[in-house]
Each structure stands twice: as structure tokens, then as C-alpha cells.
């Protein structure tokens, strides 16, 4: 491998990272390149590549953030626990957490890179067969079931969250975030928030909740057959109601005829060969009870949350502290997300 060319990114203090690597990982020495990965609409992910080595770095986005949001320390903790326990939910191997923001400008952690494909705006050519599309969908549901079956106490995560009152705390927390994020009128967010607060279902028993579980937070092996090799982006994970993950997954699964979100997310599942939302629901419900009368509540909760979170991101973009060009799309994408949440609350998504 040729020697890496030094590059810069305002979200990573290169000198601070070099000192940290030299102290903790002497094998990661010499010049290194910093490459931003993904869309960067929540936590930021970077590939750090040197001469004969590479690691992945995760840190919160830049700018003023709401307290406890974009918590990479939680992400590191749950991934470490699942990795140590040998749970049937594949995660990248965590290497080191640094909670000192003075090192690179924010808390961060390092993990091993998992080679593979992330499915966002288009299907990788080698994983585009109808059979691979079916396998992606079935693997998505199977892995979620495996996650919700993990004994979190045995995995060392008993104190990772407060299972009781999870849904009520979600509503309170997101209402607080909306008050911080709002700067324009999006009536659907107000309407869905009011409906959710008036119709809170009785939650089932607690499990580990990923918090952002959807197709593009999986890494698939680069070659067929389509096989999940890692679940990533655990920053919103906690202990709570597993149906929140189910609702999130179904919200982001587009059926034929569904309008676009305006973002490069869930933009392939309406293609031939992918099962429909209801098929995914039936696969999940075959192993875990899903109260049909409450399902739309969880799907609407997912849409309401992502609309609020993305409006906060859009506000940071307008303030000049979120620099990814994809953030410009949030001008129209956030209202579209909120509209879909309202449709879910009124039963228009066919669930």
C-alpha cells in the first residue's frame, strides 16, 4: 500500500488524533488520510487510513447540540457489549472510546472497518438480483428479531436505560427537541405530536432498542448472496419498547407508489423483488406479538421523531455549522417526513 496522503476535515483535529493514535495504538503510526463516509446527517463517520492500516472514527456532528443527543459513548457501550457477548447481531469490533472533547474537538470512538455494501439510493450491481432483494428484507427482519431476543442483563447492559416509561420519555424528549429545533411552521409535526401524546399504548416488555433501525444502517457482504455483516449507527440505542424499532423499520420501508422522502434513504424498497411493508410486519409478528390496534402509533412515532431530528439538523445547516450538501434537501424533506408521519397516524400506510 502506498503511503497515505494527509488530508483535513474541520470535524477532526488531525494533530490531536495523531497524538491519540501514537499513545494508544503505536501500530497506527505515520501519515494518514481522513475520508468522510456516508451522508453525515447525524453522527459523523470517517475512514482513517494509513500505510497498511485503517480504522473508522465516529463523532457527533459539529455545532451546538441538544444535551444527550448524538451520544457516541452510548453507541460504543452497546456495540462493545454485543461484541463481547457474541450476540447474533453483528457489529463492527469497537477499539477505543475517547470521551475527552479536547483531543479532536468532540468525544469519539474507533472501530474496525467492516468491508461491504450499504444500500441507500441504489442497489449494488452484484446484489441486485430478485433473490438478493428478498434476502435483504428477510435479513433485516431476522436481525431485528435477534436483537430484541438478546438478554440485555446477561450482556452487561442492565443499566443502559430505564425500560419503564420509555414511550412517555420519548414523547417528552422529542417535544423538548422540537422546541429547540423549530424555526418555521410545520403543522404536521404539531398535529402528530398531539395525537401521539393522547394515544400512548401500553408497552410490552423491554429489550435493547436500536433506535434507528432501517435498511441503510446495515452493511452487507460485498458478494452474493446478500448477507448482513454489521448493524451500525447505534447512537439512539437504549432499553425500551421493541415495537419502537419495528415502527421505525416499517416507516422507512417504501412500497410501490409511495412518494419519495426527498433523501437518499429507503429509495430502493419499492423495486420489484422487495417484499411489501405488510410482509415485513408478518415476518416479525410470526415470532413476536404485535398488537395490531397500536401499530400505527409506533409508525407515526418514528416519522414524528425523524422529522424533529432532521429539522434540528436543518437549523444547524442554516447556521453554517453542518456542511454536508445533502442538508440542503431538508428544506422540503422535513415536511415530507412529517406528512408521512401524519399519514401513519391516520392509517393511510396500509398497516
Amino acid at each position: 500500500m502506498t503511503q497515505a496522503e494527509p488530508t483535513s476535515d474541520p470535524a477532526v483535529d488531525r494533530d490531536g488524533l495523531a497524538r491519540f493514535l501514537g499513545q494508544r495504538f503505536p501500530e497506527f503510526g505515520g501519515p494518514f488520510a481522513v475520508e468522510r463516509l456516508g451522508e453525515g446527517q447525524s453522527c459523523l463517520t470517517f475512514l482513517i487510513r494509513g500505510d497498511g492500516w485503517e480504522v473508522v472514527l465516529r463523532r457527533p456532528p459539529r455545532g451546538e447540540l441538544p444535551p444527550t443527543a448524538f451520544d457516541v459513548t452510548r453507541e460504543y457501550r452497546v456495540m462493545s457489549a454485543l461484541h463481547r457477548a457474541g450476540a447474533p447481531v453483528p457489529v463492527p469490533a469497537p477499539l477505543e472510546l475517547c470521551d475527552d472533547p479536547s483531543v479532536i474537538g468532540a468525544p469519539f470512538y474507533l472501530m474496525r472497518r467492516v468491508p461491504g455494501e450499504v444500500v441507500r439510493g441504489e442497489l449494488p450491481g452484484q446484489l441486485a438480483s430478485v433473490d438478493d432483494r428478498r434476502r435483504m428484507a428477510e435479513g433485516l427482519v431476522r436481525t431485528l428479531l435477534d436483537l430484541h431476543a438478546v438478554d440485555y442483563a446477561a450482556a452487561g447492559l442492565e443499566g443502559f436505560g430505564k425500560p419503564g416509561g420509555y414511550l412517555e420519555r420519548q414523547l417528552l424528549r422529542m417535544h423538548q427537541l422540537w422546541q429547540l429545533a423549530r424555526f418555521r411552521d410545520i403543522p404536521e409535526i404539531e398535529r402528530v405530536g398531539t395525537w401521539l401524546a393522547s394515544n400512548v399504548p401500553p408497552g410490552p416488555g423491554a429489550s435493547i432498542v436500536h433506535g434507528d433501525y432501517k435498511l441503510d444502517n446495515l452493511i452487507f457482504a460485498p458478494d452474493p448472496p446478500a448477507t448482513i455483516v454489521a448493524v451500525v449507527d447505534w447512537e439512539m440505542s437504549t432499553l425500551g419498547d421493541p415495537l419502537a424499532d419495528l415502527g421505525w423499520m416499517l416507516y422507512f420501508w417504501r412500497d410501490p407508489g409511495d412518494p419519495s422522502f426527498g433523501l437518499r434513504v429507503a429509495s430502493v424498497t419499492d423495486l420489484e423483488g422487495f417484499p411489501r411493508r405488510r410482509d415485513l410486519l408478518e415476518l416479525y409478528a410470526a415470532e413476536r406479538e404485535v398488537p395490531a390496534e397500536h401499530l400505527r402509533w409506533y409508525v407515526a412515532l418514528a416519522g414524528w421523531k425523524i422529522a424533529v431530528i432532521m429539522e434540528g439538523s436543518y437549523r444547524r445547516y442554516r447556521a453554517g455549522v453542518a456542511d454536508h450538501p445533502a442538508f440542503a434537501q431538508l428544506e422540503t424533506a422535513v415536511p415530507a417526513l412529517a406528512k408521512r408521519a401524519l399519514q401513519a397516524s391516520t392509517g393511510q400506510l396500509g398497516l
Side-chain angles (χ1 to χ4, degrees):
M1 179 177 177
T2 58
Q3 190 176 64
E5 290 293 330
T7 56
S8 62
D9 189 291
V12 177
D13 182 326
R14 289 184 49 81
D15 293 338
L17 179 59
R19 287 191 295 270
F20 179 85
L21 292 174
Q23 293 167 2
R24 302 298 181 90
F25 299 96
E27 66 272 28
F28 299 158
F32 55 83
V34 179
E35 175 188 352
R36 190 178 296 202
L37 303 176
E39 299 297 322
Q41 292 175 336
S42 55
C43 284
L44 305 180
T45 308
F46 299 89
L47 177 62
I48 313 299
R49 177 179 288 150
D51 188 5
W53 60 269
E54 58 184 14
V55 295
V56 172
L57 181 150
R58 285 269 287 176
R59 59 148 290 170
R62 296 190 300 137
E64 185 177 350
L65 304 174
T68 74
F70 307 106
D71 190 349
V72 295
T73 63
R74 295 188 65 78
E75 186 166 275
Y76 181 83
R77 181 179 175 188
V78 69
M79 288 172 56
S80 297
L82 292 171
H83 191 261
R84 283 194 308 268
V89 181
V91 294
L95 294 175
E96 185 85 12
L97 171 69
C98 177
D99 57 10
D100 180 357
S102 70
V103 175
I104 70 162
F108 69 96
Y109 72 90
L110 301 175
M111 59 183 163
R112 295 288 182 190
R113 182 189 179 208
V114 178
E117 299 286 351
V118 175
V119 178
R120 286 196 178 94
E122 58 187 26
L123 286 168
Q126 69 275 23
L127 297 177
S129 71
V130 170
D131 182 62
D132 281 319
R133 298 176 194 191
R134 175 187 56 79
R135 288 177 59 90
M136 286 179 187
E138 292 175 353
L140 177 74
V141 177
R142 176 71 264 161
T143 302
L144 185 61
L145 285 163
D146 288 343
L147 173 64
H148 292 164
V150 170
D151 184 334
Y152 59 80
L157 292 170
E158 192 166 11
F160 189 58
K162 299 176 182 178
Y166 167 79
L167 296 178
E168 292 80 3
R169 286 196 307 277
Q170 286 285 294
L171 294 178
L172 176 61
R173 175 64 176 148
M174 298 312 299
H175 176 74
Q176 293 169 339
L177 288 180
W178 174 234
Q179 301 314 307
L180 294 172
R182 63 184 303 174
F183 68 94
R184 55 177 172 161
D185 184 31
I186 305 179
E188 292 87 351
I189 291 182
E190 302 287 354
R191 289 179 59 186
V192 175
T194 299
W195 180 82
L196 290 169
S198 300
N199 294 277
V200 182
S207 74
I208 300 173
V209 174
H210 181 279
D212 191 12
Y213 193 80
K214 59 187 191 299
L215 187 65
D216 66 348
N217 278 335
L218 307 179
I219 300 177
F220 291 90
D223 299 312
T227 304
I228 297 169
V229 292
V231 181
V232 296
D233 288 14
W234 293 83
E235 70 207 60
M236 296 199 293
S237 59
T238 188
L239 302 182
D241 188 335
L243 295 179
D245 274 344
L246 176 64
W248 193 276
M249 178 184 73
L250 295 174
Y251 174 86
F252 280 101
W253 193 270
R254 290 177 58 248
D255 280 355
D258 285 357
S260 169
F261 295 119
L263 300 170
R264 290 183 71 245
V265 57
S267 54
V268 299
T269 61
D270 59 342
L271 298 177
E272 180 186 357
F274 281 104
R276 304 284 71 88
R277 268 191 304 275
R278 181 157 290 279
D279 297 326
L280 270 62
L281 170 60
E282 291 175 357
L283 284 173
Y284 185 93
E287 294 193 26
R288 292 184 71 99
E289 182 179 0
V290 178
E293 68 272 23
H294 299 311
L295 180 62
R296 65 187 175 118
W297 192 93
Y298 290 97
V299 180
L301 174 67
W304 182 65
K305 285 177 60 176
I306 194 61
V308 169
I309 292 168
M310 289 294 97
E311 187 70 350
S313 296
Y314 186 48
R315 182 169 186 159
R316 291 198 309 277
Y317 173 77
R318 287 170 59 95
V321 294
D323 56 3
H324 197 288
F327 277 83
Q329 301 170 4
L330 297 177
E331 169 71 27
T332 56
V334 172
L337 293 168
K339 180 179 179 180
R340 185 173 173 87
L342 182 61
Q343 291 172 335
S345 73
T346 55
Q348 295 179 52
L349 295 188
L351 292 170

